[in-house]
Amino acid sequence: MLNNSQYIEKLRSSGLRPTKQRIKICEVLFNTEKTFHFTINELVKKISKSTNDKISLATVYNTIHAFKNKGYLKEIPINSDQSYFDTNTSHHHHFYDESQRDLIDIDEADVEPVKIYTRIPGKKIKSVEVLVKVEDDKS
Amino acid sequence: MLNNSQYIEKLRSSGLRPTKQRIKICEVLFNTEKTFHFTINELVKKISKSTNDKISLATVYNTIHAFKNKGYLKEIPINSDQSYFDTNTSHHHHFYDESQRDLIDIDEADVEPVKIYTRIPGKKIKSVEVLVKVEDDKS
DNA sequence: CAACAGTTTAGAACAGTTATAATGTAGAAA
DNA sequence: TTTCTACATTATAACTGTTCTAAACTGTTG
């Protein structure tokens, strides 16, 4: 929930030029009460609903990748024909309802911290992500 | 580690006609000491190395999906431009080294069972998968 | 063996994503 | 403010993994 000048500052401070496309995308992504999940396709629709100046698809992809690299977005590891992103960059996990193709946050407090008793020599852990797949309970 | 007649039986008992393509794919996938991970591309190469009769790409896709549906393979949820499959269908988790694009099993005993204290009403849990992303440790 | 449903096949089609190269623009310097 | 330049945007082409199509083939059943 920031205003434009704060997005401009945020972009500039991370070495991204605050273009009007990037500011608009910031608004769509971050000017919300709650965080949310999205695919590029859904984001494009959301953008076009909220502005008359269309943003090209390539720019959306570029911007999302830039934001992901800067840590403003997380990509959610999931088997899907398209990539899912999350505006919630805090440490948390997900339910995935494959039938509805619906992603739901699992609050960090609702998952016992995952302990891993083995390591890969020479590598350090970057992230630990839990994906809980659910299906309709017909019992 | 089965011989052909056992694969024929396995296929037939799950309602899949034991065609020579499927039997060959069974051999490549299951006639090994250790389980392994693969992409369709890698599998196609493996198949063509081990036989002179080429199997069409469409058949490989069909067969892998059939095997996955029958529970002979698991798909590994990962953000990648291609799907990863695992011949190890027991419950276990993975390290993913993004720089090498390399998947490594985490033995079930090496992960504290993941406890989830929340549920989605009307849905039951189908699987719980942990993906640990690692990177080179430059410290 | 005949008949049929299931399977394989090559290639076309498709969807998501990335690359290209021309045009535009933010920011710095004069 | 004007000029300059590196960075961004754009439309579109290209690319990649996967799915579809429809014709030919084959395992199974009677």
Side-chain angles (χ1 to χ4, degrees):
Chain A
M1 287 292 222
L2 301 171
N3 61 37
N4 284 9
S5 64
Q6 288 174 293
Y7 293 134
I8 290 171
E9 200 35 56
K10 178 177 175 162
L11 289 166
R12 229 192 296 263
S13 70
S14 53
L16 297 173
R17 278 193 191 164
T19 62
K20 66 176 184 308
Q21 291 85 348
R22 285 172 175 167
I23 294 164
K24 170 48 76 183
I25 293 172
C26 277
E27 285 174 19
V28 173
L29 291 178
F30 306 122
N31 236 8
T32 55
E33 192 83 30
K34 293 183 178 177
T35 62
F36 62 98
H37 310 122
F38 63 92
T39 62
I40 297 291
N41 223 326
E42 290 165 356
L43 179 60
V44 166
K45 282 181 200 156
K46 221 164 183 172
I47 291 168
S48 61
K49 266 181 207 157
S50 79
T51 184
N52 293 316
D53 316 339
K54 100 178 257 298
I55 298 179
S56 104
L57 185 60
T59 300
V60 177
Y61 273 100
N62 288 341
T63 302
I64 292 312
H65 287 146
F67 285 8
K68 184 193 160 192
N69 290 336
K70 295 299 178 186
Y72 301 156
L73 291 173
K74 276 170 76 173
E75 193 169 358
I76 304 170
I78 218 175
N79 292 127
S80 173
D81 46 354
Q82 56 202 313
S83 295
Y84 277 83
F85 296 90
D86 196 339
T87 66
N88 178 355
T89 58
S90 74
H91 188 263
H92 68 288
H93 303 295
H94 294 96
F95 285 114
Y96 185 53
D97 184 346
E98 277 180 323
S99 44
Q100 324 294 139
R101 295 178 145 240
D102 192 21
L103 266 170
I104 298 149
D105 276 359
I106 307 179
D107 202 83
E108 194 178 7
D110 285 332
V111 181
E112 195 74 24
V114 181
K115 293 196 196 93
I116 294 137
Y117 301 121
T118 184
R119 289 292 181 278
I120 310 286
K123 306 279 175 179
K124 69 166 178 246
I125 290 177
K126 202 174 153 192
S127 68
V128 177
E129 319 213 35
V130 179
L131 183 68
V132 182
K133 290 187 184 160
V134 299
E135 62 186 351
D136 291 336
D137 188 357
K138 298 158 214 112
S139 67
Chain B
M1 287 290 222
L2 300 171
N3 61 37
N4 284 10
S5 64
Q6 287 175 293
Y7 292 134
I8 291 173
E9 199 36 54
K10 178 176 174 162
L11 289 166
R12 228 193 297 264
S13 71
S14 54
L16 297 172
R17 278 192 191 166
T19 64
K20 66 175 184 308
Q21 292 86 347
R22 285 172 176 167
I23 294 166
K24 168 49 75 183
I25 293 173
C26 277
E27 287 174 19
V28 172
L29 291 177
F30 306 120
N31 236 6
T32 56
E33 192 83 30
K34 293 183 178 177
T35 62
F36 62 98
H37 311 122
F38 64 92
T39 63
I40 297 291
N41 224 326
E42 291 164 355
L43 179 60
V44 166
K45 282 182 201 157
K46 221 165 183 172
I47 291 168
S48 60
K49 268 182 207 158
S50 79
T51 184
N52 293 315
D53 316 340
K54 102 177 254 300
I55 297 179
S56 105
L57 185 60
T59 300
V60 177
Y61 273 100
N62 288 342
T63 302
I64 292 312
H65 287 146
F67 285 7
K68 182 193 162 193
N69 291 336
K70 295 299 177 184
Y72 301 156
L73 291 172
K74 277 171 76 172
E75 193 169 358
I76 303 170
I78 217 175
N79 291 127
S80 174
D81 46 354
Q82 55 202 314
S83 295
Y84 278 83
F85 296 89
D86 197 339
T87 66
N88 179 356
T89 57
S90 73
H91 187 262
H92 69 288
H93 303 296
H94 295 95
F95 286 115
Y96 184 54
D97 184 347
E98 277 179 323
S99 43
Q100 324 294 140
R101 296 177 143 240
D102 192 22
L103 267 170
I104 299 150
D105 276 0
I106 307 179
D107 202 83
E108 194 178 5
D110 285 331
V111 181
E112 195 74 23
V114 181
K115 293 196 196 96
I116 293 137
Y117 300 122
T118 183
R119 289 290 180 279
I120 310 287
K123 306 279 175 179
K124 67 165 179 249
I125 290 176
K126 202 173 151 191
S127 68
V128 176
E129 319 213 35
V130 178
L131 183 68
V132 182
K133 290 187 184 159
V134 299
E135 62 187 351
D136 291 336
D137 187 357
K138 298 159 213 108
S139 65

